Amino acid sequence: MAAKLAALVVLVAFLAGPAACEGASICFNGWLRLPTFNPWLCSRGSRMRSRSWQRGASPSGLGLGHGYYDNRWSKSYCPRAEVIVRGAVKDAVAAYPGIGAGLIRLFFHDCFVRGCDASVLLTTTNSNNSDTEREGLPNKNSLRGFQVIDAAKAAIEAACPGRVSCADIVAFAARDASYFLSNRRINIRMPGGRYDGRESFANETDQLPGPFSTVTELQTSFTAKGLTSDEMVTLSGAHTIGRARCMFFSSRFSEMDPAFAAKLKAQCNGNDDTNVNQDDVTPYVLDKQYYRNVIDRRVLFTSDAVLNSIKTITQVTENANIAGTWERKFERAMENMGKIGIKTRADQGAEIRKVCSRVNN
């Protein structure tokens, strides 16, 4: 009983900080759905968000470069770095395709909080706090792919210690997962040169758009990172792979295609912790099927369904119907997302970590 009470207190304290609400029951930027309005956890009206959401500058990627580790005259010279990452990802995806979806999601969740600096990997920080991003509501017990990143980092450190950042490994892993899961149809030109951050805080994960987000909230979240509405629609297409817990969509069965809803109800069987495929047509292929699913009302999340709105339906229809359109846009959007909030020098409070889960001494 004491443990449950302590957990509730932690949850209330966590959500009462930078929480976000829509209407009476959707909180923490679309990550928590409450059955009734609770003023302790969510606020109404003009106090919907305590964090300031402003348009961010378009990511410049200044300091990054393609083939960054191939320059033999550079202190960062490590010509096998990207080959090692690709090998680790290839083996992992071949053994279990779902890990590829996890690696793409890991990259997204890293870049949207403190920029692409591998802060999402930390369990030990410069501030010695234990409530890191991995403990945040959108991430806890749901992020996957850490073991792939760690394996690649260990192999790279053995080959050329202290040269390749964990942030770059996360970016390269997402690129390579996209390549293998798309049957080699998606080739992202991902630059390198990121440094690793030294801080990570759970309460900053409210910057991640959640499964209950409206289209306006999605656009606001992406705009704050310097990304466009079209890039938001494009990156949402990654929901064509991976799995999701029933708790994030069981409230909207009545809004789905009836046959699809019936199938999901049977799979969930009343258990909100059950995981189901996000795309039941091509669940292990990174393709444009997601957009057909949006049109046909065969998607899981509110944040997917709302793309079938007047604000975004044109992009959805083009991605669904024109061959190659979404793949090329996804390549550019992933590259652009990889430039968000980067650190490229140690004097920016960053480093090249020796171990990805903890800062250097």
Side-chain angles (χ1 to χ4, degrees):
M1 181 67 179
K4 290 183 179 179
L5 180 59
L8 178 60
V9 171
V10 169
L11 179 62
V12 170
F14 183 58
L15 294 177
C21 253
E22 175 66 23
S25 60
I26 307 303
C27 311
F28 206 79
N29 202 24
W31 278 100
L32 185 67
R33 183 179 187 277
L34 299 176
T36 58
F37 176 71
N38 188 324
W40 284 12
L41 300 183
C42 293
S43 54
R44 295 182 186 269
S46 62
R47 294 181 295 124
M48 188 176 78
R49 285 187 174 88
S50 60
R51 184 182 296 280
S52 176
W53 298 84
Q54 300 176 342
R55 172 176 289 277
S58 297
S60 68
L62 187 64
L64 301 183
H66 297 102
Y68 180 84
Y69 295 104
D70 295 337
N71 182 359
R72 65 175 58 253
W73 309 114
S74 168
K75 293 186 295 183
S76 300
Y77 182 58
C78 186
R80 296 194 63 246
E82 295 190 43
V83 174
I84 290 172
V85 175
R86 177 156 292 202
V89 173
K90 181 179 181 180
D91 291 344
V93 171
Y96 176 50
I99 205 70
L103 290 168
I104 295 171
R105 185 170 184 256
L106 190 66
F107 179 51
F108 178 83
H109 282 226
D110 182 37
C111 291
F112 258 60
V113 184
R114 292 187 163 260
C116 308
D117 68 346
S119 55
V120 73
L121 306 179
L122 286 173
T123 57
T124 303
T125 71
N126 187 56
S127 296
N128 293 317
N129 59 299
S130 59
D131 57 331
T132 64
E133 290 170 34
R134 289 170 70 152
E135 299 300 310
L137 186 64
N139 297 336
K140 190 173 179 63
N141 299 324
S142 69
L143 288 181
R144 293 180 293 170
F146 296 112
Q147 71 274 27
V148 181
I149 304 300
D150 290 341
K153 177 62 171 176
I156 289 173
E157 283 296 301
C160 35
R163 298 183 185 183
V164 180
S165 69
C166 299
D168 275 349
I169 294 174
V170 170
F172 294 152
R175 173 200 64 191
D176 296 336
S178 300
Y179 176 75
F180 292 119
L181 289 173
S182 66
N183 294 320
R184 296 171 167 78
R185 293 189 179 94
I186 292 176
N187 291 275
I188 301 165
R189 296 185 72 247
M190 187 64 70
R194 302 165 188 81
Y195 272 58
D196 299 321
R198 291 175 53 80
E199 301 289 7
S200 181
F201 301 100
N203 64 3
E204 293 183 349
T205 58
D206 72 326
Q207 298 171 70
L208 291 158
F212 300 111
S213 296
T214 66
V215 69
T216 299
E217 289 172 330
L218 290 170
Q219 290 174 326
T220 299
S221 295
F222 277 74
T223 297
K225 302 302 175 184
L227 301 179
T228 66
S229 177
D230 189 53
E231 286 174 315
M232 177 272 290
V233 175
T234 298
L235 291 169
S236 294
H239 284 179
T240 192
I241 51 172
R243 294 170 66 80
R245 282 183 286 180
C246 295
M247 65 181 294
F248 290 124
F249 60 84
S250 58
S251 62
R252 56 176 305 273
F253 286 138
S254 63
E255 303 168 16
M256 300 177 181
D257 170 79
F260 183 57
K263 180 178 180 179
L264 290 174
K265 284 182 182 179
Q267 290 176 330
C268 293
N269 196 27
N271 184 352
D272 275 351
D273 287 329
T274 298
N275 284 285
V276 303
N277 290 326
Q278 295 201 75
D279 174 6
D280 73 333
V281 181
T282 56
Y284 303 115
V285 182
L286 185 63
D287 59 16
K288 62 187 178 68
Q289 178 62 41
Y290 168 82
Y291 298 98
R292 176 51 53 190
N293 294 345
V294 171
I295 294 169
D296 295 341
R297 297 190 298 129
R298 296 176 64 89
V299 287
L300 302 184
F301 303 146
T302 298
S303 60
D304 297 322
V306 296
L307 298 187
N308 199 354
S309 73
I310 192 170
K311 293 182 178 180
T312 51
I313 190 59
T314 298
Q315 296 97 312
V316 167
T317 304
E318 289 176 353
N319 291 341
N321 295 333
I322 304 176
T325 294
W326 174 72
E327 289 82 356
R328 303 292 80 78
K329 287 165 66 175
F330 187 75
E331 291 169 350
R332 294 190 295 271
M334 286 284 281
E335 179 182 359
N336 204 29
M337 185 174 69
K339 299 173 182 177
I340 295 174
I342 57 166
K343 301 172 179 65
T344 56
R345 299 188 308 275
D347 61 5
Q348 293 176 315
E351 63 190 10
I352 303 295
R353 287 183 216 143
K354 298 175 183 177
V355 177
C356 287
S357 62
R358 60 177 185 263
V359 297
N360 298 338
N361 293 331

